Amino acid sequence: MDFKNTCFTIVKAMRSSPSNIELGEVPATLDLSTMPHVHSVSYLNRGAYCTVWLVKLHQPMEIASSMDEPSFSRRMVSGFIIRLPGKNTKELPRQITNEVGVRNFVSRNLPHIPVPQVYLYEATDSFDTSFVVEEYIDSPPVSHTWYTLTGTQKESIANQMAIGVVDMASQWFPVIGGFDPTGRYSAPALPGCKVSTESRSSECYNVGPYTSIKEYFMSNCDRQIDHYTHILEGDSPMDRGYDENGIATLLAGQRAKRDAVAAAAVFAEPFVLMHGDIHGRNILADGDKIKAIIGWGFAGTYPLSDTFARGMAGVVDVESDEDVEEEWEWAVKIRGYIRDELRKRQWDSNLIDLLLGPRGRDRQAEPMPRD
């Protein structure tokens, strides 16, 4: 049995018992005796939208790319990761194809930013027939080890995070949107956390790619309007904490906001590569050496002022008052390191303010011409 067939066999067996997967339990239906190359399958972690499994082999197997990706090199591996999307994965198949594409783009254009290599993937409209097989990075998330690091090691990690943000922000694009699996930036954008229920078809609103920020912001409003309209019509569950009157108020607010965006003037702003969740939970490291950045599912090309629209760069998962203080202290430091790096690279002060300033959710702009 070759590598590809081995992966499909493992996934099929695990998907036959979805309840076990959600609990992080290896299903009894996974019979390793039928897969002579496989030594073990074990649960590693749960991400926001998937469970993560480590497959170890008795002997290394050769992996050849299943994708049209020239940078992929044949290699021998003794273990790999399988990521299985959960029921709450609302943006299939684009969430998988976008992540594969972003990683391919980063590997080619920003090779100093480490990303796990994708060996194989299947992206369908359903979570139970989709999966990703990728390189195993034997390093823990920074959020798990942060309190064991020395002050010097923390400074080193924070500086590397800052440089990575600046490197991505230095990649400019002609459109706002996502990536196709080959790494081309011509795919629709993914809304990420902007809408709490699964998104509708492109018949309801423009999903991109967008050629102007005004078009992008108006689409965000249209998406929210569609979301609240379906709630009031009974097609979607009520948002937590709101009654029908509250939803109606939110809907009216989004319609007024869309009218204001449509009538507003525009200004210049570049579109840049954005990860969307630069945080210790998505950074794998040995000590103060970053080995990989993960969690690229909602990355894409977005307005510079959106760099921290989904939150500041952080280092720990907040579960206590101590965590709150630590998170805030280092978020402020990382912003300072980013500013220092931008100045070192002689960025214009207006662009620095756009990247680091208040989130530009209510600003409209047109793409800035390149020199």
Side-chain angles (χ1 to χ4, degrees), residues 180-194:
D180 71 14
T182 66
R184 289 190 291 266
Y185 48 86
S186 58
L190 277 78
C193 60
K194 298 186 182 77

Side-chain angles (χ1 to χ4, degrees), residues 2-5 7 61-69 71-77 117-121 133:
D2 62 14
F3 176 77
K4 182 177 180 180
N5 287 328
C7 292
M61 294 181 70
E62 184 179 54
I63 298 177
S65 174
S66 64
M67 300 172 289
D68 183 21
E69 176 48 49
S71 66
F72 191 100
S73 57
R74 301 176 73 91
R75 63 172 64 184
M76 303 293 290
V77 300
Q117 191 167 31
V118 176
Y119 298 147
L120 178 70
Y121 74 94
V133 180

Side-chain angles (χ1 to χ4, degrees), residues 289 305 318 330 333:
K289 175 63 175 176
S305 58
V318 175
W330 284 96
K333 285 186 177 181

Side-chain angles (χ1 to χ4, degrees), residues 255-272:
R255 284 173 172 163
K257 181 177 179 180
R258 190 190 190 285
D259 291 341
V261 170
V266 297
F267 68 92
E269 182 175 347
F271 307 153
V272 303

Side-chain angles (χ1 to χ4, degrees), residues 244-263:
E244 186 171 317
N245 290 334
I247 294 296
T249 299
L250 291 173
L251 176 58
Q254 284 296 324
R255 284 173 172 163
K257 181 177 179 180
R258 190 190 190 285
D259 291 341
V261 170

Side-chain angles (χ1 to χ4, degrees), residues 342-354:
L342 291 169
R343 288 173 173 168
K344 184 188 302 183
R345 301 189 191 189
Q346 299 182 324
W347 272 49
D348 179 84
S349 60
N350 291 325
L351 293 180
I352 293 176
D353 290 342
L354 275 175

Side-chain angles (χ1 to χ4, degrees), residues 224-240:
Q224 294 286 357
I225 290 169
D226 178 71
H227 171 56
Y228 296 135
T229 299
H230 278 79
I231 291 177
L232 292 178
E233 292 176 349
D235 297 332
S236 297
M238 186 70 67
D239 279 4
R240 184 179 300 175

